[in-house]
Amino acid sequence: MLKTICAYILLAFSFVSVSLNAQTTVIVQETDQKTITEIVSHRDSLVTKVLPVRMIAIGKMLIGKPYVAKTLETGKEEQLVVNLRGFDCTTFLETTLTLAKLVQMENQDFTAYCQTLTTIRYRAGEAGKYTTRLHYLTEWLSEKQSRGEMEDITQKLGGVPYEKKIDFMTTHPQAYVQLTDKQNLAALQVVERNLNTQKRYYIPKAAVGKIESQLQDGDIIAFTTNIKGLDVVHVGLAIRKGNHAYLLHASSDQKKVAVSSVPIGQYILKNSGQSGIIVVRPQQ
């Protein structure tokens, strides 16, 4: 029934709000659905690739799409935003992973896309709440690792402990309209306390160039930061070119999805706000 409703509304209007279930409203435009359909049409060539390489192939199809910040912030009520017209670094990562998973499924319709995105963006796949969205990338990555979908290889690459208190959101509630709600604020404080019990590793920026040769296509590269209370400030995918690994990402500097002009080891040295990297490898 939902499949029929989604298909009808998407054909009838250029911008729609669709109920995925009793708790979740989907915000999408017809062009987003067309982009999904176009990428899925390459299924036969995509499914022959391992998942991380598939993510790279899909990411390349999105090169040139504009960088757009805060696309998930639609107001106080949480909604499942489907936006393939513009990306920030996190939504680019989510979209490539969602599509890489979708093309290997038996059902590849829009409902399946939304359901897959929900399991990626929200804690335990519980959409419809601001507080169940995985706001901190270290938690986003950790949840995938707990399901056996990703492996944090940072320590294997020579990473050192990343000892930092994570509390940026609740110490800057004025930056998040949803945190004016005291219940939301309390819920995020619990999330941060749980995050701060976890042990994390990172590769300091001076050492990134030395391990660059060990990075593989599709490795998730999360950039740690010196900003107090914040875990990660940027994320992208490693993409190999010759003997070096570059970054395929939604770039705020280039204002579009692009491949970095220099290898990752040089890229991080040019960014003073980045302190190192966490490397996580998607599993097939």
Side-chain angles (χ1 to χ4, degrees), residues 195-216:
L195 269 176
N196 288 320
T197 65
Q198 299 174 13
K199 193 162 189 176
R200 289 178 288 272
Y201 294 84
Y202 82 119
I203 298 165
K205 66 190 306 176
V208 172
K210 298 174 185 177
I211 61 89
E212 194 182 279
S213 62
Q214 299 179 65
L215 300 178
Q216 296 181 6

Side-chain angles (χ1 to χ4, degrees), residues 87-158:
F87 304 93
D88 63 22
C89 62
T90 303
T91 58
F92 173 72
L93 174 61
E94 290 179 336
T95 301
T96 56
L97 180 57
T98 301
L99 288 165
K101 288 176 172 288
L102 184 69
V103 296
Q104 66 185 10
M105 296 178 181
E106 183 176 348
N107 184 2
Q108 299 155 25
D109 63 13
F110 181 68
T111 301
Y113 179 91
C114 292
Q115 291 169 339
T116 304
L117 177 60
T118 296
T119 65
I120 289 169
R121 183 174 291 167
Y122 293 92
R123 190 177 306 108
E126 185 185 352
K129 296 180 181 178
Y130 181 78
T131 53
T132 60
R133 196 199 308 168
L134 297 163
H135 298 280
Y136 288 105
L137 193 68
T138 47
E139 186 189 12
W140 190 100
L141 293 167
S142 178
E143 178 159 290
K144 278 68 176 170
Q145 293 170 65
S146 69
R147 300 199 298 246
E149 298 174 1
M150 295 185 181
E151 180 188 4
D152 187 334
I153 62 170
T154 310
Q155 189 177 11
K156 291 181 180 179
L157 294 174

Side-chain angles (χ1 to χ4, degrees), residues 55-89:
M55 291 172 67
I56 289 290
I58 291 167
K60 286 181 176 179
M61 296 180 195
L62 301 173
I63 285 177
K65 294 278 189 178
Y67 178 92
V68 183
K70 298 184 178 181
T71 58
L72 304 187
E73 309 310 324
T74 59
K76 284 194 173 183
E77 297 300 320
E78 183 72 7
Q79 298 167 318
L80 181 66
V81 176
V82 176
N83 184 341
L84 286 86
R85 290 157 281 118
F87 304 93
D88 63 22
C89 62

Side-chain angles (χ1 to χ4, degrees), residues 2 6 18-22 24-26 80 110-111 114-115 118 127:
L2 175 60
C6 287
V18 182
S19 292
L20 185 62
N21 53 47
T24 309
T25 299
V26 181
L80 181 66
F110 181 68
T111 301
C114 292
Q115 291 169 339
T118 296

Side-chain angles (χ1 to χ4, degrees), residues 241-252:
K241 294 169 63 178
N243 296 323
H244 295 283
Y246 291 72
L247 191 69
L248 174 58
H249 62 148
S251 169
S252 58

Side-chain angles (χ1 to χ4, degrees), residues 167-239:
D167 62 0
F168 186 88
M169 292 185 70
T170 61
T171 55
H172 298 78
Q174 68 280 2
Y176 307 91
V177 63
Q178 296 88 344
L179 295 188
T180 59
D181 183 310
K182 291 183 179 179
Q183 289 185 328
N184 285 347
L185 183 64
L188 261 295
Q189 287 171 335
V190 172
V191 169
E192 291 171 345
R193 283 198 296 271
N194 289 338
L195 269 176
N196 288 320
T197 65
Q198 299 174 13
K199 193 162 189 176
R200 289 178 288 272
Y201 294 84
Y202 82 119
I203 298 165
K205 66 190 306 176
V208 172
K210 298 174 185 177
I211 61 89
E212 194 182 279
S213 62
Q214 299 179 65
L215 300 178
Q216 296 181 6
D217 278 334
D219 282 348
I220 296 172
I221 311 298
F223 292 84
T224 57
T225 179
N226 295 318
I227 298 172
K228 184 178 180 181
L230 193 58
D231 56 347
V232 167
V233 74
H234 190 52
V235 68
L237 300 172
I239 178 170

